[in-house]
Each structure stands twice: as structure tokens, then as C-alpha cells.
Amino acid sequence: LSLGGRIFELPAFNGKNVFTVKREWNHFLEAHKEYKILHSHIRSYASLYLPIAKKKGLKTIIHSHSISNGSGISSLVKNILQYPLRFQADYFFACSPEAGEWLFGKHACNTARFKVLKNAIDAKKFVFDKDKRKSIRKEFDLKEEFVIGFIGRVTEPKNPSFIIEVFSEFVKINNNTKLLFVGDGNLLSEVKEKANRLRVEDNIIFTGTRNDTDALFAAMDVFIFPSLWEGLGISLIEAQATGIKCVCSERIPSSAIVTDLVEVISLDKEAIYWANRIADIDANYVRTNCFQAMIEAGYEINSTVDYLESFYIKENG
């Protein structure tokens, strides 16, 4: 808003309001002919409004940020709804090759209409800063404790329950430790209950949602990211940018692993195995400056902004 943008709210799809969604999108685009491009980051019901946008003469982009819809009835519905997207959009964007192939199929990803647009970050902001580390550790009264960290949405894909299991095993190895658990989501209460059951709640700091992730990463000694699935895994990119050692699952796209700071562990391994691998990390390792690595891997925000701006201008003629 401060930059001159505008926000409009249209009906969310609830499974029953197909005609309402189509009617409202039709009215909206009819009333706002100034828009020339529709870049959709929603995939589940984008197939309802993309054809309307194309009929109105807009160029359309569908953007994939995941590699799974999870399980259950809602997943089945989403899979059915999103299938037509590969035939409807003018361009197919994805945060990784894996995310693109999952949503659009191999054929679409082998055409010039497919683009990988990496989820870039302000890499300079994430360069390790000792003062940021001291500030956060002071805020949470962290002294000599070994800090395991997680930052992300507390939802099924992030596998948050397993994080608590791993931490519970790690506490048995090193009781002078804390888990800095950053984020919110529909599974947070379940995660807290599990921490209580495993009697590790006193060793966990639940921060809720924060916007100072660069400083939080600086305060950690290792980052854990055992996701069940990821379109890319932006938190892992940010973690590497701060020079922190990371352990992640084998479900993370390879394009998210851009430094030698990451150890990939199979989710077939039990929590005790993960805990032992974390225990092998020397808490006194030197944090390296990974700014150049982020640039070379294509995750620096300025280059991505320039590309997307040029793309929009070109498509708008």
C-alpha cells in the first residue's frame, strides 16, 4: 500500500460457489481494464478464473510453489481442479524445477513458456552478524546453550511433530540446549501438547510469527528442516545465507541446497539418528559469509526483481 499498490478481496473457493467465484472475477476484470497481466500464486482453483482473464485479453501466469497437495479429500479435489492449469495459462512459473514438473507436467516444462523464478532473498540482510546474535540470545536469556532452530509455517508439510521428537532425543544427549521454534499455524497447539508429553517444554522457546528471521538465524547453532515436501524451502535458503549448519530431509529440492552447510538425512531414519547427527556438530564452528554463494545460485533479490520487471514490461508490449 505504501508503494501505491491496491488490495482487492474476491471470494475464496469453498467447493460450492463455483458460479459466485466466476461471476465476481468477471465483474472485477470488467471494472478494472487497467490490468494487463494476471500472475496467480494460487493454484487450487485458479482454473476457474484464468480462462476469464484470458477472455478479457490478459496475459496469464500460473506460479507453482509446492510439490504436493498433501492427502485426503481436499487433496483430491485440489488435484482435479489444478490439472487444467497446464492447458490454460500463457506462462508457467515455478520456484524450482521439481515444483514446475509436479504442477505442469514434463511436457509444459520443456517449452519456452516455462520459467524457474527462484524465491530470492535480500542476501545482504542475512549475512551473519554477531550483534544480531547477541541481541536475540539476550532477548531469550540464552547464554551458553546449544540452540537448535526452526522457522516456518507450523503445518503438515513442515513435519513439526518430528522436530519435537528429534529435540526430545537431543535433550537426552545434551540437556544444556534450547529449541527456538519460530512460526505459527494450525498444528501449533498439537506441537505444544507433544512437547509437554515428552517433557521438553521447558527447553523450547515458542516465539510465534516474527519478521526478524535474519537475527533469529544468527542466534541459532543449527537449523532443522525435516519437511515432508517443499516446492523449494525458502527457510533453508535463508539459513544458508547466514552461514548456519543445517540438517534437512531428502524431500527438499536439490536446488535449495547451495552450500556445503547442509546435511541431508532420510526421513526413514529415526529421531535418535537425527539427534546424533546434530550432536556431531561443533557449536564453535566459524560462521562463513555466504553472500556470494547466494548471488551465484540466483537467490539474490535484486536480480530476480529486475528479471520479473523486464518480463512484465515485455509482455505488456
Side-chain angles (χ1 to χ4, degrees):
L1 291 174
S2 65
L3 292 172
R6 291 186 287 171
I7 298 173
F8 302 92
E9 292 186 21
L10 277 76
F13 179 58
N14 61 20
K16 302 176 183 178
N17 61 342
V18 171
F19 295 109
T20 299
V21 169
K22 288 185 174 182
R23 183 184 68 243
E24 291 302 312
W25 270 94
N26 189 70
H27 288 169
F28 174 78
L29 293 175
E30 190 64 34
H32 293 278
K33 295 183 178 180
E34 68 270 24
Y35 294 120
K36 306 301 180 184
I37 299 171
L38 175 61
H39 189 156
S40 177
H41 295 268
I42 295 174
R43 65 180 185 277
S44 56
Y45 69 100
S47 60
L48 299 182
Y49 56 75
L50 251 64
I52 298 172
K54 289 191 73 171
K55 198 170 183 179
K56 301 289 185 185
L58 280 77
K59 287 291 178 71
T60 56
I61 304 167
I62 185 68
H63 203 137
S64 178
H65 292 276
S66 186
I67 57 172
S68 175
N69 277 321
S71 57
I73 297 298
S74 64
S75 171
L76 179 62
V77 172
K78 289 177 181 178
N79 286 338
I80 293 171
L81 279 170
Q82 70 191 29
Y83 184 76
L85 294 173
R86 64 186 66 189
F87 308 109
Q88 294 173 329
D90 293 306
Y91 291 99
F92 313 108
F93 281 17
C95 61
S96 68
E98 293 89 341
E101 189 169 314
W102 172 73
L103 184 59
F104 311 127
K106 289 184 177 180
H107 177 72
C109 292
N110 286 327
T111 69
R113 296 161 63 195
F114 175 66
K115 316 285 182 184
V116 173
L117 190 68
K118 294 182 177 179
N119 292 350
I121 63 173
D122 184 352
K124 278 188 178 179
K125 176 182 175 183
F126 283 89
V127 172
F128 177 67
D129 186 320
K130 289 182 179 179
D131 290 334
K132 289 180 181 179
R133 179 178 175 87
K134 289 177 182 177
S135 176
I136 295 296
R137 291 182 77 99
K138 181 179 180 180
E139 177 183 346
F140 295 115
D141 194 28
L142 297 167
K143 297 180 176 63
E144 300 302 320
E145 293 93 339
F146 184 82
V147 178
I148 298 173
F150 164 76
I151 298 179
R153 289 175 291 107
V154 192
T155 53
E156 182 189 0
K158 304 300 181 185
N159 204 8
S161 180
F162 185 65
I163 294 173
I164 303 303
E165 290 178 27
V166 173
F167 184 67
S168 175
E169 295 294 342
F170 187 81
V171 169
K172 298 172 185 176
I173 301 170
N174 179 4
N175 188 51
N176 189 31
T177 185
K178 293 285 186 180
L179 173 61
L180 190 55
F181 195 99
V182 183
D184 200 354
N186 65 302
L187 296 182
L188 184 58
S189 59
E190 182 181 308
V191 166
K192 289 182 176 179
E193 288 172 9
K194 185 158 193 173
N196 289 332
R197 283 201 313 273
L198 296 177
R199 298 181 179 179
V200 292
E201 69 275 14
D202 291 339
N203 292 73
I204 303 178
I205 300 167
F206 290 102
T207 72
T209 303
R210 302 266 300 214
N211 58 12
D212 56 346
T213 54
D214 54 315
L216 290 161
F217 279 122
M220 301 170 186
D221 296 304
V222 63
F223 180 65
I224 184 170
F225 204 58
S227 298
L228 296 172
W229 69 84
E230 290 284 347
L232 178 66
I234 191 64
S235 289
L236 186 63
I237 298 295
E238 292 175 343
Q240 291 172 87
T242 65
I244 191 175
K245 295 286 183 73
C246 309
V247 291
C248 73
S249 73
E250 81 282 15
R251 311 286 178 82
I252 306 297
S254 58
S255 51
I257 301 173
V258 296
T259 69
D260 59 3
L261 296 166
V262 181
E263 178 175 357
V264 179
I265 305 176
S266 171
L267 287 177
D268 291 335
K269 299 291 185 180
E270 295 181 352
I272 183 63
Y273 180 88
W274 282 67
N276 282 324
R277 297 305 300 148
I278 293 172
D280 288 339
I281 295 173
D282 180 2
N284 296 313
Y285 68 89
V286 177
R287 298 281 278 263
T288 55
N289 186 325
C290 295
F291 179 67
Q292 190 60 36
M294 294 299 111
I295 293 176
E296 292 174 0
Y299 288 108
E300 211 293 307
I301 189 67
N302 291 319
S303 58
T304 301
V305 167
D306 290 344
Y307 171 81
L308 191 56
E309 183 180 27
S310 298
F311 184 89
Y312 286 156
I313 291 171
K314 179 182 177 182
E315 290 306 308
N316 194 32

